């Protein structure tokens, strides 16, 4: 079967090829637009028949590995080698091939790239040893192409992800992300600096030149950078900034209908919330919970909007599986209004609360699984009909998940992630290419609580990124 780029993909590929830095650039493409295919085609255009003699490195989330493997096979006719932490002969052989300079397409996760290429060094500012990137990642191997998938994972310029990937030597570089600036517009510097290190100077000079500074007492430097001074300037000034909106790529998508379900906290939740908000002190089963840091107070208030927390056997704040929760009451009521066989996804930011969601759904006769950082649940169970529902923590299922849109068009949000990037990624699991029905998105929110504050913060961040064309 022959695969051909769609019109918008051909436009992006032409833009990359004929830019000031051919085949190097930023592909800021929306969810479900085929960024993986575009990156493979761009590599083929750069090397043509010589690909078999080139070294290509793909850095991406673990869940994207299967997709990358399929695309290299289907579009380029080459196999992809997985760089892993395994101790088998086969796993070690891949590393040996890389260090020996053998050509091929290699894949590594962001986490493993970071852990394999860091070392402890003394930090003069912090007056202690900290982890920093090794001076020559991968033993100094030079790649012909490095593709950074879901670039927002390196958008924080002080992160190890950015430090390590910046030291990898390569002839061409491509960054892929629907949100390349992460949660803050000024963080676009990291992508620009990685792609064109000679063109862009230091972060602070860049941020002060292009972005508005605001006083922030909680920042280590006493200030923070917000919106762009002249929206669009940074994007237009980049040598190769290729944009694709989801609307351009998938105009046939039926769209999303958002249903807001406002709930009031039950009596016990309301009393805990009031005490904690007013005095930073509440009692869980007679045991005091005292807080002093504003960020920690926000965290606990968010927990209370989900359900009544309690201390577990280890003395840490947790949720009992049968805890009282007005949000779960509303969830079960809404699920009962769905057709009996309608599959759905439930999103929640708290891993600890998932067991309470599972308990309540199973009690209502809904077969369901957990997909979180600690679970081994497989989203494919929903695709093959083994379960009716997935209860997912945003971070665990917001990337590298495809296929749900072909069987599911209903999702419930019990809470939002604090990360705008993660929320954006999560919204694209159902509303993406292949979806044939209108997606019904139910936002279950506790009225007159921190839920309003969190949503307000996220909307403000979104508007600033949107204004600059960075999302």
């Amino acid at each position: 079967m022959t695969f051909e780029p769609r019109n918008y993909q051909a436009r992006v590929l032409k833009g990359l090829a004929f830019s000031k830095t051919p085949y190097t650039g930023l592909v800021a493409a929306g969810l479900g637009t085929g960024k993986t295919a575009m990156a493979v085609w761009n590599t083929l255009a750069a090397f043509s028949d010589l690909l078999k003699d080139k070294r290509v490195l793909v850095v991406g989330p673990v869940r994207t590995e299967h997709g990358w493997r399929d695309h290299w096979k289907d579009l380029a006719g080459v196999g992809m080698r997985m760089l892993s932490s395994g101790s088998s002969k086969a796993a070690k052989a891949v590393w040996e091939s890389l260090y020996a300079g053998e050509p091929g397409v290699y894949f590594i996760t962001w986490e493993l790239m970071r852990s394999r290429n860091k070392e402890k060094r003394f930090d003069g500012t912090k007056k202690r040893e900290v982890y920093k990137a090794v001076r020559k990642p991968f033993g100094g191997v030079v790649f012909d192409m490095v593709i950074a998938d879901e670039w927002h994972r390196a958008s924080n310029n002080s992160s190890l992800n950015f430090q390590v990937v910046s030291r990898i030597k390569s002839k061409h570089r491509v960054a892929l992300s629907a949100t390349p600036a992460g949660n803050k517009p000024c963080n676009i510097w990291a992508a620009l600096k990685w792609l064109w290190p000679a063109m862009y100077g230091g972060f602070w000079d860049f941020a002060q030149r292009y972005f508005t500074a605001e006083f922030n007492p909680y920042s280590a430097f006493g200030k923070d950078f917000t919106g762009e001074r002249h929206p669009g300037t940074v994007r237009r000034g980049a040598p190769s900034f290729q944009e694709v909106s989801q609307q351009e790529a998938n105009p046939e998508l039926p769209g999303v209908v958002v249903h807001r379900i406002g709930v009031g906290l039950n009596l016990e939740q309301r009393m805990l919330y009031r005490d904690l908000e007013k005095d930073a002190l509440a009692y869980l089963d007679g045991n005091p919970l005292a807080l002093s840091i504003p960020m920690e107070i926000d965290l606990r208030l968010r927990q209370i909007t989900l359900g009544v927390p309690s201390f577990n056997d280890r003395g840490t704040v947790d949720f009992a599986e049968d805890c009282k929760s007005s949000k779960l009451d509303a969830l079960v009521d809404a699920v009962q209004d769905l057709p009996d066989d309608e599959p759905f996804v439930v999103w929640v930011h708290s891993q600890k609360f998932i067991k309470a969601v599972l308990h309540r759904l199973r009690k209502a006769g809904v077969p369901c699984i957990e997909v979180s950082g600690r679970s081994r649940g497989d989203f494919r169970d929903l695709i093959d009909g083994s379960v009716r529902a997935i209860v997912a923590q945003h971070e665990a299922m917001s990337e590298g998940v495809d296929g749900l849109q072909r069987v599911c068009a209903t999702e419930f949000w019990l809470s939002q992630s604090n990360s705008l990037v993660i929320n954006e990624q999560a919204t694209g699991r159902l509303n993406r290419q292949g979806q044939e029905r209108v997606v019904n998105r139910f936002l279950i929110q506790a009225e007159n609580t921190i839920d309003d504050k969190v949503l307000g913060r996220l909307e403000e961040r979104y508007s600033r990124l949107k204004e600059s064309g960075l999302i």
Side-chain angles (χ1 to χ4, degrees):
M1 181 182 295
T2 302
F3 297 91
E4 296 292 336
R6 298 171 71 180
N7 290 339
Y8 70 88
Q9 292 173 323
R11 173 180 61 77
V12 169
L13 294 171
K14 183 177 180 180
L16 288 168
F18 293 97
S19 70
K20 296 177 182 178
T21 54
Y23 310 110
T24 287
L26 173 59
V27 180
L31 303 170
T33 56
K35 293 188 289 292
T36 305
M38 287 188 274
V40 174
W41 278 319
N42 178 65
T43 306
L44 286 171
F47 306 129
S48 189
D49 295 336
L50 299 177
L51 178 60
K52 64 181 183 301
D53 301 319
K54 303 297 181 179
R55 284 184 296 276
V56 177
L57 179 68
V58 179
V59 186
V62 63
R63 287 187 183 273
T64 65
E65 187 263 335
H66 289 292
W68 278 105
R69 187 181 299 279
D70 291 344
H71 276 78
W72 284 111
K73 180 181 178 181
D74 295 340
L75 302 182
V78 300
M80 186 182 78
R81 307 189 209 184
M82 178 75 171
L83 293 166
S84 71
S85 57
S87 57
S88 67
K89 287 184 179 181
K92 291 179 179 179
V94 178
W95 284 102
E96 290 168 0
S97 296
L98 176 65
Y99 288 137
E102 291 184 16
V105 177
Y106 298 87
F107 178 94
I108 191 169
T109 66
W110 284 101
E111 293 78 11
L112 188 58
M113 178 203 72
R114 183 174 65 238
S115 65
R116 291 281 300 226
N117 296 285
K118 68 179 181 180
E119 62 184 5
K120 275 195 171 183
R121 296 206 302 271
F122 184 78
D123 187 297
T125 303
K126 297 181 179 178
K127 307 298 183 185
R128 59 184 173 85
E129 285 193 333
V130 298
Y131 279 113
K132 294 189 176 184
V134 298
R135 290 174 173 81
K136 293 184 177 181
F138 301 105
V141 171
V142 178
F143 294 92
D144 296 286
M145 174 76 76
V146 174
I147 301 169
D149 190 16
E150 306 297 1
W151 169 262
H152 50 265
R153 291 193 171 212
S155 63
N156 181 343
N157 64 80
S158 62
S159 69
L160 263 177
N161 275 345
F162 177 72
Q163 292 174 31
V164 173
V165 79
S166 295
R167 290 174 180 244
I168 300 174
K169 301 296 183 182
S170 63
K171 181 178 179 181
H172 299 292
R173 294 176 172 183
V174 172
L176 310 174
S177 179
T179 51
N183 288 309
K184 298 167 63 177
C186 62
N187 283 348
I188 191 63
W189 176 86
L192 301 178
K193 183 67 175 177
W194 180 66
L195 292 166
W196 304 286
M199 180 175 175
Y200 292 90
F203 169 76
W204 287 101
D205 288 341
F206 171 85
Q208 298 210 48
R209 179 179 180 182
Y210 293 107
F211 297 88
T212 303
E214 288 186 0
F215 173 69
N216 181 358
Y218 301 108
S219 169
F221 302 97
K223 64 181 177 181
D224 205 355
F225 293 100
T226 55
E228 202 175 352
R229 293 179 185 274
H230 305 288
T233 301
V234 171
R235 186 181 77 256
R236 290 191 296 270
S240 184
F241 197 115
Q242 310 299 326
E243 302 169 81
V244 180
S245 69
Q246 191 181 68
Q247 179 59 35
E248 178 188 4
N250 302 302
E252 72 281 0
L253 280 180
V256 179
V257 176
V258 177
H259 311 267
R260 297 186 184 274
I261 302 177
V263 301
L265 300 180
N266 63 45
L267 179 60
E268 193 170 353
Q269 284 178 282
R270 189 163 63 248
M271 291 177 65
L272 287 171
Y273 191 96
R274 181 196 61 197
D275 292 345
L276 198 59
E277 184 178 42
K278 180 182 177 183
D279 304 319
L281 174 66
Y283 287 85
L284 308 181
D285 297 328
N287 299 304
L289 175 64
L291 306 170
S292 58
I293 304 173
M295 188 176 297
E296 191 174 16
I297 294 174
D298 276 9
L299 170 66
R300 298 306 181 197
L301 289 175
R302 292 195 73 195
Q303 285 183 319
I304 294 171
T305 64
L306 290 174
V308 176
S310 57
F311 286 106
N312 59 26
D313 295 338
R314 299 182 298 277
T316 58
V317 178
D318 203 343
F319 291 98
E321 65 175 18
D322 59 350
C323 69
K324 296 178 180 178
S325 167
S326 55
K327 285 191 176 182
L328 289 184
D329 293 339
L331 172 65
V332 172
D333 285 345
V335 168
Q336 290 176 344
D337 291 334
L338 298 176
D340 291 341
D341 59 347
E342 178 69 25
F344 59 91
V345 175
V346 180
W347 296 98
V348 63
H349 80 281
S350 171
Q351 188 179 66
K352 293 180 177 180
F353 191 64
I354 290 180
K355 60 179 173 291
V357 185
L358 294 171
H359 175 75
R360 191 69 72 90
L361 289 177
R362 287 167 180 165
K363 190 176 178 180
V366 178
C368 51
I369 59 168
E370 170 182 354
V371 175
S372 70
R374 70 182 175 193
S375 78
R376 296 183 180 180
D378 191 333
F379 71 90
R380 296 178 186 83
D381 288 349
L382 188 73
I383 298 175
D384 64 24
S386 300
V387 298
R388 183 185 171 195
I390 291 176
V391 182
Q393 186 183 24
H394 304 96
E395 287 78 1
M397 207 176 76
S398 58
E399 296 174 332
V401 173
D402 194 19
L404 292 178
Q405 75 274 19
R406 304 188 190 283
V407 298
C408 180
T410 303
E411 58 185 0
F412 295 91
W413 288 62
L414 296 178
S415 61
Q416 310 265 341
S417 168
N418 275 324
S419 168
L420 175 65
V421 172
I422 297 298
N423 288 327
E424 279 294 297
Q425 297 282 341
T427 61
R429 294 314 99 196
L430 300 186
N431 185 41
R432 62 192 294 118
Q433 187 175 352
Q435 179 61 261
E436 296 180 350
R437 296 185 289 162
V438 171
V439 173
N440 285 291
R441 181 176 299 147
F442 295 86
L443 305 182
I444 302 179
Q445 298 174 308
E447 296 177 322
N448 303 313
T449 68
I450 195 170
D451 277 2
D452 299 326
K453 181 179 177 182
V454 170
L455 196 59
R457 283 197 299 246
L458 292 171
E459 288 176 345
E460 183 179 0
R461 291 176 194 166
Y462 182 89
S463 64
R464 286 172 175 168
L465 289 164
K466 189 73 173 176
E467 187 180 43
S468 294
L470 300 177
I471 195 169

